[in-house]
Amino acid sequence: MSNPSRRTEFWAGVRDTFPLIVGAIPFGVIFGALGVNSGLSPATTMSMSLFVFAGSAQFIAAGLVAQGISLPFIILTTFVVNLRHALYGATLAPHVRHLSQKWLLPLGFWLTDETFAVVVARYNRSDDSSLYKHWYHLGSSIAMYGNWQLCTLIGLIAGQSLQGIENLGLDFAMIVTFIGLIVPVVKTRPILVSVIVAGAVSILAYPLENKIGLIIAALCGVIAGVIAETYLPQPKTVLDQERAA
Amino acid sequence: MNEVILIVGMVAATFLVRYPVLALLGKVSMPEPVLRALRYVPPAVLTAIIVPEVLMPGGQIKIANNAYLIAAIVAMLISWRTKSLLLTIILGMATLWLWYAIVGI
């Protein structure tokens, strides 16, 4: 197969992340606007996007600050909300094991739901042996990061004039983005089982503290998928096909 | 509230989840069943994030007159038929706003 250059991979990563950027724009702008409205200083709001760079955790933290929740509880909640990134890291680890710390530090810092979803598809494509798939990963990461900073800044500046913006349903953009990522990968019955179980448990476990229901639901979904794969009769899995390739 | 401590704490609570697993787990070779299980991570996590947002908009389960649920179902159909992420986002949002315009928020 062809062997794309570093530059080609980088820009392919940026390009494939574009739809996710569209979905993240309203989210970032609302965060900027809500951050200041929840009582954080503009500098703290911007610093959160620059140094924490974790959309859902930032939203939840801003919400907790507005409610006057204590600092240790906010940090603990951030940790729990971010636990899914450990699953992402475990999934990507075999693909980035050859990289130096110079690569792993920034790629680790820039890990998001969106970049993970785009990049894992690229790494799993076994139809080419590109040496520079990590450049694709870098392109996706930088595109998401740059967009997040820009959107937070716009939200911060627009701040007051955007009051009532939360009633426009803009947070729905993230939901449709994720739907567009999930549906195309539900190609086998075990994945369907996994998704249904994850969704059902996420509702049942929703009342639990610190949003821990999210990680419980995700783990139940993964386990259900594995069980279904073991017991449901089905054609060759994607993994087998890749191994054969 | 000390906002500097807030940021430092959140940076730690984020980076220390993301980086170590990504960087260190690749050094040990993972058994095949684990690799197989990890394939279920992306759809399972994303589903667990959005299902409560769609079905429990105010923290309570809401099926009737739920604009998010209607638009989510439309988005699923569009994604299933077209496989296009951009179309799913645009038409999903358009459905929500159409609902808001006709039925109200």
Side-chain angles (χ1 to χ4, degrees), chain B residues 54-89:
Chain B
V54 171
L55 290 179
M56 312 169 72
Q60 298 287 321
I61 291 190
K62 186 180 174 195
I63 303 294
N65 200 19
N66 179 343
Y68 277 22
L69 180 58
I70 304 288
I73 291 169
V74 172
M76 282 169 71
L77 292 172
I78 292 163
S79 178
W80 177 54
R81 297 304 298 180
T82 69
K83 309 265 183 255
S84 161
L85 181 52
L86 203 53
L87 266 182
T88 305
I89 294 169

mmCIF file of all heavy atoms in Angstrom, chain B residues 54-89:
data_model
loop_
_atom_site.group_PDB
_atom_site.id
_atom_site.type_symbol
_atom_site.label_atom_id
_atom_site.label_comp_id
_atom_site.label_asym_id
_atom_site.label_seq_id
_atom_site.Cartn_x
_atom_site.Cartn_y
_atom_site.Cartn_z
ATOM 1 N N VAL B 54 -30.160 12.466 26.908
ATOM 2 C CA VAL B 54 -31.307 12.426 25.997
ATOM 3 C C VAL B 54 -32.581 12.018 26.737
ATOM 4 O O VAL B 54 -33.626 12.635 26.554
ATOM 5 C CB VAL B 54 -31.032 11.439 24.829
ATOM 6 C CG1 VAL B 54 -32.288 11.216 24.006
ATOM 7 C CG2 VAL B 54 -29.907 11.968 23.947
ATOM 8 N N LEU B 55 -32.481 10.993 27.572
ATOM 9 C CA LEU B 55 -33.689 10.448 28.204
ATOM 10 C C LEU B 55 -34.046 11.135 29.516
ATOM 11 O O LEU B 55 -35.167 11.031 29.996
ATOM 12 C CB LEU B 55 -33.539 8.940 28.437
ATOM 13 C CG LEU B 55 -33.546 8.065 27.180
ATOM 14 C CD1 LEU B 55 -33.371 6.601 27.547
ATOM 15 C CD2 LEU B 55 -34.839 8.248 26.402
ATOM 16 N N MET B 56 -33.045 11.808 30.149
ATOM 17 C CA MET B 56 -33.303 12.446 31.437
ATOM 18 C C MET B 56 -32.866 13.905 31.410
ATOM 19 O O MET B 56 -31.983 14.302 32.171
ATOM 20 C CB MET B 56 -32.540 11.702 32.546
ATOM 21 C CG MET B 56 -32.703 10.203 32.524
ATOM 22 S SD MET B 56 -31.553 9.365 33.644
ATOM 23 C CE MET B 56 -32.261 9.783 35.235
ATOM 24 N N PRO B 57 -33.473 14.717 30.544
ATOM 25 C CA PRO B 57 -32.985 16.098 30.387
ATOM 26 C C PRO B 57 -32.983 16.906 31.688
ATOM 27 O O PRO B 57 -32.078 17.671 31.934
ATOM 28 C CB PRO B 57 -33.928 16.706 29.348
ATOM 29 C CG PRO B 57 -34.931 15.690 29.005
ATOM 30 C CD PRO B 57 -34.638 14.419 29.714
ATOM 31 N N GLY B 58 -33.973 16.728 32.533
ATOM 32 C CA GLY B 58 -33.994 17.494 33.787
ATOM 33 C C GLY B 58 -33.609 16.669 34.993
ATOM 34 O O GLY B 58 -33.929 17.029 36.118
ATOM 35 N N GLY B 59 -32.938 15.516 34.754
ATOM 36 C CA GLY B 59 -32.600 14.638 35.857
ATOM 37 C C GLY B 59 -33.675 13.580 36.097
ATOM 38 O O GLY B 59 -33.490 12.675 36.903
ATOM 39 N N GLN B 60 -34.796 13.715 35.402
ATOM 40 C CA GLN B 60 -35.897 12.742 35.509
ATOM 41 C C GLN B 60 -36.140 12.150 34.129
ATOM 42 O O GLN B 60 -35.977 12.834 33.124
ATOM 43 C CB GLN B 60 -37.193 13.437 35.973
ATOM 44 C CG GLN B 60 -37.109 14.067 37.351
ATOM 45 C CD GLN B 60 -37.101 13.025 38.459
ATOM 46 O OE1 GLN B 60 -37.804 12.032 38.388
ATOM 47 N NE2 GLN B 60 -36.282 13.262 39.480
ATOM 48 N N ILE B 61 -36.538 10.890 34.082
ATOM 49 C CA ILE B 61 -36.833 10.269 32.793
ATOM 50 C C ILE B 61 -38.028 10.966 32.147
ATOM 51 O O ILE B 61 -39.045 11.201 32.801
ATOM 52 C CB ILE B 61 -37.105 8.764 32.947
ATOM 53 C CG1 ILE B 61 -35.800 8.069 33.342
ATOM 54 C CG2 ILE B 61 -37.654 8.171 31.643
ATOM 55 C CD1 ILE B 61 -35.848 6.565 33.294
ATOM 56 N N LYS B 62 -37.835 11.350 30.872
ATOM 57 C CA LYS B 62 -38.881 12.064 30.161
ATOM 58 C C LYS B 62 -38.994 11.479 28.757
ATOM 59 O O LYS B 62 -38.051 11.545 27.977
ATOM 60 C CB LYS B 62 -38.515 13.555 30.096
ATOM 61 C CG LYS B 62 -39.608 14.428 29.507
ATOM 62 C CD LYS B 62 -39.148 15.891 29.488
ATOM 63 C CE LYS B 62 -40.156 16.758 28.769
ATOM 64 N NZ LYS B 62 -39.603 18.075 28.423
ATOM 65 N N ILE B 63 -40.136 10.867 28.462
ATOM 66 C CA ILE B 63 -40.312 10.242 27.148
ATOM 67 C C ILE B 63 -41.217 11.120 26.275
ATOM 68 O O ILE B 63 -40.864 11.468 25.151
ATOM 69 C CB ILE B 63 -40.928 8.825 27.281
ATOM 70 C CG1 ILE B 63 -40.048 7.944 28.184
ATOM 71 C CG2 ILE B 63 -41.108 8.184 25.901
ATOM 72 C CD1 ILE B 63 -38.683 7.618 27.634
ATOM 73 N N ALA B 64 -42.387 11.501 26.812
ATOM 74 C CA ALA B 64 -43.335 12.295 26.033
ATOM 75 C C ALA B 64 -42.840 13.735 25.902
ATOM 76 O O ALA B 64 -42.253 14.286 26.836
ATOM 77 C CB ALA B 64 -44.707 12.269 26.700
ATOM 78 N N ASN B 65 -43.072 14.318 24.739
ATOM 79 C CA ASN B 65 -42.731 15.723 24.508
ATOM 80 C C ASN B 65 -41.271 16.045 24.836
ATOM 81 O O ASN B 65 -40.949 17.094 25.375
ATOM 82 C CB ASN B 65 -43.668 16.614 25.339
ATOM 83 C CG ASN B 65 -43.697 18.034 24.795
ATOM 84 O OD1 ASN B 65 -43.329 18.272 23.639
ATOM 85 N ND2 ASN B 65 -44.104 18.971 25.628
ATOM 86 N N ASN B 66 -40.385 15.119 24.511
ATOM 87 C CA ASN B 66 -38.955 15.316 24.778
ATOM 88 C C ASN B 66 -38.254 15.615 23.449
ATOM 89 O O ASN B 66 -38.019 14.735 22.631
ATOM 90 C CB ASN B 66 -38.385 14.049 25.433
ATOM 91 C CG ASN B 66 -36.903 14.174 25.725
ATOM 92 O OD1 ASN B 66 -36.213 15.047 25.192
ATOM 93 N ND2 ASN B 66 -36.400 13.298 26.580
ATOM 94 N N ALA B 67 -37.927 16.904 23.242
ATOM 95 C CA ALA B 67 -37.342 17.343 21.971
ATOM 96 C C ALA B 67 -36.012 16.643 21.691
ATOM 97 O O ALA B 67 -35.717 16.286 20.544
ATOM 98 C CB ALA B 67 -37.151 18.859 21.989
ATOM 99 N N TYR B 68 -35.202 16.462 22.756
ATOM 100 C CA TYR B 68 -33.901 15.798 22.571
ATOM 101 C C TYR B 68 -34.087 14.366 22.070
ATOM 102 O O TYR B 68 -33.344 13.894 21.210
ATOM 103 C CB TYR B 68 -33.121 15.773 23.890
ATOM 104 C CG TYR B 68 -32.368 17.042 24.185
ATOM 105 C CD1 TYR B 68 -32.723 18.254 23.608
ATOM 106 C CD2 TYR B 68 -31.263 17.025 25.042
ATOM 107 C CE1 TYR B 68 -32.025 19.409 23.882
ATOM 108 C CE2 TYR B 68 -30.558 18.181 25.324
ATOM 109 C CZ TYR B 68 -30.938 19.374 24.751
ATOM 110 O OH TYR B 68 -30.232 20.516 25.023
ATOM 111 N N LEU B 69 -35.096 13.686 22.617
ATOM 112 C CA LEU B 69 -35.329 12.297 22.230
ATOM 113 C C LEU B 69 -35.743 12.207 20.755
ATOM 114 O O LEU B 69 -35.209 11.390 19.999
ATOM 115 C CB LEU B 69 -36.408 11.674 23.132
ATOM 116 C CG LEU B 69 -36.767 10.215 22.854
ATOM 117 C CD1 LEU B 69 -35.541 9.315 22.960
ATOM 118 C CD2 LEU B 69 -37.849 9.737 23.822
ATOM 119 N N ILE B 70 -36.658 13.092 20.351
ATOM 120 C CA ILE B 70 -37.109 13.104 18.953
ATOM 121 C C ILE B 70 -35.923 13.362 18.023
ATOM 122 O O ILE B 70 -35.682 12.618 17.061
ATOM 123 C CB ILE B 70 -38.165 14.226 18.734
ATOM 124 C CG1 ILE B 70 -39.355 14.066 19.695
ATOM 125 C CG2 ILE B 70 -38.611 14.279 17.273
ATOM 126 C CD1 ILE B 70 -40.257 12.921 19.387
ATOM 127 N N ALA B 71 -35.168 14.421 18.329
ATOM 128 C CA ALA B 71 -34.044 14.792 17.459
ATOM 129 C C ALA B 71 -32.959 13.715 17.469
ATOM 130 O O ALA B 71 -32.305 13.476 16.455
ATOM 131 C CB ALA B 71 -33.474 16.138 17.887
ATOM 132 N N ALA B 72 -32.776 13.054 18.617
ATOM 133 C CA ALA B 72 -31.765 11.988 18.700
ATOM 134 C C ALA B 72 -32.167 10.810 17.817
ATOM 135 O O ALA B 72 -31.319 10.207 17.145
ATOM 136 C CB ALA B 72 -31.581 11.535 20.139
ATOM 137 N N ILE B 73 -33.453 10.481 17.806
ATOM 138 C CA ILE B 73 -33.921 9.371 16.975
ATOM 139 C C ILE B 73 -33.719 9.720 15.489
ATOM 140 O O ILE B 73 -33.222 8.900 14.713
ATOM 141 C CB ILE B 73 -35.411 9.046 17.271
ATOM 142 C CG1 ILE B 73 -35.527 8.433 18.679
ATOM 143 C CG2 ILE B 73 -35.985 8.087 16.231
ATOM 144 C CD1 ILE B 73 -36.943 8.310 19.194
ATOM 145 N N VAL B 74 -34.059 10.951 15.125
ATOM 146 C CA VAL B 74 -33.842 11.388 13.744
ATOM 147 C C VAL B 74 -32.351 11.307 13.395
ATOM 148 O O VAL B 74 -31.963 10.793 12.334
ATOM 149 C CB VAL B 74 -34.380 12.825 13.532
ATOM 150 C CG1 VAL B 74 -33.976 13.362 12.162
ATOM 151 C CG2 VAL B 74 -35.900 12.853 13.686
ATOM 152 N N ALA B 75 -31.497 11.783 14.311
ATOM 153 C CA ALA B 75 -30.050 11.757 14.068
ATOM 154 C C ALA B 75 -29.553 10.324 13.891
ATOM 155 O O ALA B 75 -28.693 10.050 13.045
ATOM 156 C CB ALA B 75 -29.308 12.444 15.210
ATOM 157 N N MET B 76 -30.101 9.398 14.684
ATOM 158 C CA MET B 76 -29.691 7.996 14.551
ATOM 159 C C MET B 76 -30.055 7.463 13.167
ATOM 160 O O MET B 76 -29.247 6.772 12.529
ATOM 161 C CB MET B 76 -30.372 7.138 15.634
ATOM 162 C CG MET B 76 -29.726 7.265 16.997
ATOM 163 S SD MET B 76 -30.728 6.496 18.312
ATOM 164 C CE MET B 76 -30.504 4.785 17.923
ATOM 165 N N LEU B 77 -31.258 7.783 12.713
ATOM 166 C CA LEU B 77 -31.680 7.316 11.388
ATOM 167 C C LEU B 77 -30.793 7.911 10.297
ATOM 168 O O LEU B 77 -30.372 7.216 9.366
ATOM 169 C CB LEU B 77 -33.161 7.691 11.142
ATOM 170 C CG LEU B 77 -34.171 6.938 12.019
ATOM 171 C CD1 LEU B 77 -35.574 7.511 11.837
ATOM 172 C CD2 LEU B 77 -34.156 5.443 11.690
ATOM 173 N N ILE B 78 -30.481 9.206 10.438
ATOM 174 C CA ILE B 78 -29.636 9.853 9.425
ATOM 175 C C ILE B 78 -28.249 9.225 9.417
ATOM 176 O O ILE B 78 -27.692 8.918 8.363
ATOM 177 C CB ILE B 78 -29.541 11.374 9.691
ATOM 178 C CG1 ILE B 78 -30.904 12.024 9.448
ATOM 179 C CG2 ILE B 78 -28.478 12.015 8.814
ATOM 180 C CD1 ILE B 78 -31.046 13.390 10.054
ATOM 181 N N SER B 79 -27.697 9.007 10.594
ATOM 182 C CA SER B 79 -26.370 8.410 10.685
ATOM 183 C C SER B 79 -26.375 7.001 10.097
ATOM 184 O O SER B 79 -25.454 6.602 9.382
ATOM 185 C CB SER B 79 -25.933 8.371 12.142
ATOM 186 O OG SER B 79 -24.675 7.769 12.261
ATOM 187 N N TRP B 80 -27.430 6.248 10.380
ATOM 188 C CA TRP B 80 -27.538 4.870 9.890
ATOM 189 C C TRP B 80 -27.629 4.848 8.366
ATOM 190 O O TRP B 80 -26.971 4.039 7.710
ATOM 191 C CB TRP B 80 -28.772 4.223 10.531
ATOM 192 C CG TRP B 80 -29.060 2.836 10.085
ATOM 193 C CD1 TRP B 80 -28.189 1.775 10.114
ATOM 194 C CD2 TRP B 80 -30.302 2.338 9.555
ATOM 195 N NE1 TRP B 80 -28.821 0.653 9.631
ATOM 196 C CE2 TRP B 80 -30.113 0.955 9.289
ATOM 197 C CE3 TRP B 80 -31.538 2.914 9.312
ATOM 198 C CZ2 TRP B 80 -31.123 0.155 8.763
ATOM 199 C CZ3 TRP B 80 -32.548 2.107 8.800
ATOM 200 C CH2 TRP B 80 -32.339 0.755 8.528
ATOM 201 N N ARG B 81 -28.415 5.776 7.804
ATOM 202 C CA ARG B 81 -28.605 5.778 6.358
ATOM 203 C C ARG B 81 -27.410 6.378 5.617
ATOM 204 O O ARG B 81 -27.049 5.918 4.547
ATOM 205 C CB ARG B 81 -29.873 6.579 5.963
ATOM 206 C CG ARG B 81 -31.168 6.025 6.485
ATOM 207 C CD ARG B 81 -31.407 4.586 6.088
ATOM 208 N NE ARG B 81 -31.508 4.376 4.640
ATOM 209 C CZ ARG B 81 -31.716 3.198 4.068
ATOM 210 N NH1 ARG B 81 -31.827 2.125 4.823
ATOM 211 N NH2 ARG B 81 -31.800 3.098 2.766
ATOM 212 N N THR B 82 -26.828 7.447 6.153
ATOM 213 C CA THR B 82 -25.813 8.187 5.394
ATOM 214 C C THR B 82 -24.382 7.902 5.842
ATOM 215 O O THR B 82 -23.449 8.123 5.085
ATOM 216 C CB THR B 82 -26.029 9.708 5.525
ATOM 217 O OG1 THR B 82 -25.733 10.099 6.878
ATOM 218 C CG2 THR B 82 -27.454 10.107 5.196
ATOM 219 N N LYS B 83 -24.192 7.464 7.084
ATOM 220 C CA LYS B 83 -22.862 7.285 7.680
ATOM 221 C C LYS B 83 -22.070 8.600 7.723
ATOM 222 O O LYS B 83 -20.872 8.593 7.966
ATOM 223 C CB LYS B 83 -22.021 6.244 6.917
ATOM 224 C CG LYS B 83 -22.709 4.938 6.675
ATOM 225 C CD LYS B 83 -22.358 3.923 7.751
ATOM 226 C CE LYS B 83 -22.976 2.576 7.493
ATOM 227 N NZ LYS B 83 -24.117 2.284 8.345
ATOM 228 N N SER B 84 -22.738 9.727 7.445
ATOM 229 C CA SER B 84 -22.026 11.002 7.419
ATOM 230 C C SER B 84 -22.156 11.706 8.769
ATOM 231 O O SER B 84 -23.259 12.022 9.218
ATOM 232 C CB SER B 84 -22.585 11.902 6.318
ATOM 233 O OG SER B 84 -22.225 13.245 6.561
ATOM 234 N N LEU B 85 -21.009 11.951 9.389
ATOM 235 C CA LEU B 85 -21.008 12.611 10.699
ATOM 236 C C LEU B 85 -21.516 14.040 10.595
ATOM 237 O O LEU B 85 -22.334 14.488 11.404
ATOM 238 C CB LEU B 85 -19.586 12.574 11.272
ATOM 239 C CG LEU B 85 -19.363 13.177 12.649
ATOM 240 C CD1 LEU B 85 -20.331 12.610 13.667
ATOM 241 C CD2 LEU B 85 -17.938 12.910 13.100
ATOM 242 N N LEU B 86 -21.046 14.745 9.570
ATOM 243 C CA LEU B 86 -21.427 16.153 9.412
ATOM 244 C C LEU B 86 -22.937 16.292 9.174
ATOM 245 O O LEU B 86 -23.601 17.128 9.790
ATOM 246 C CB LEU B 86 -20.635 16.770 8.257
ATOM 247 C CG LEU B 86 -20.465 18.289 8.282
ATOM 248 C CD1 LEU B 86 -19.886 18.758 9.602
ATOM 249 C CD2 LEU B 86 -19.593 18.748 7.133
ATOM 250 N N LEU B 87 -23.479 15.432 8.296
ATOM 251 C CA LEU B 87 -24.923 15.472 8.030
ATOM 252 C C LEU B 87 -25.720 15.156 9.288
ATOM 253 O O LEU B 87 -26.758 15.771 9.555
ATOM 254 C CB LEU B 87 -25.281 14.451 6.939
ATOM 255 C CG LEU B 87 -25.332 14.936 5.502
ATOM 256 C CD1 LEU B 87 -25.746 13.785 4.583
ATOM 257 C CD2 LEU B 87 -26.320 16.093 5.360
ATOM 258 N N THR B 88 -25.212 14.198 10.073
ATOM 259 C CA THR B 88 -25.896 13.812 11.313
ATOM 260 C C THR B 88 -25.964 15.003 12.265
ATOM 261 O O THR B 88 -27.014 15.277 12.867
ATOM 262 C CB THR B 88 -25.155 12.639 11.981
ATOM 263 O OG1 THR B 88 -25.043 11.567 11.047
ATOM 264 C CG2 THR B 88 -25.899 12.159 13.220
ATOM 265 N N ILE B 89 -24.850 15.726 12.394
ATOM 266 C CA ILE B 89 -24.808 16.879 13.301
ATOM 267 C C ILE B 89 -25.762 17.979 12.805
ATOM 268 O O ILE B 89 -26.591 18.493 13.564
ATOM 269 C CB ILE B 89 -23.369 17.430 13.416
ATOM 270 C CG1 ILE B 89 -22.452 16.409 14.086
ATOM 271 C CG2 ILE B 89 -23.359 18.744 14.196
ATOM 272 C CD1 ILE B 89 -20.980 16.752 14.005
#
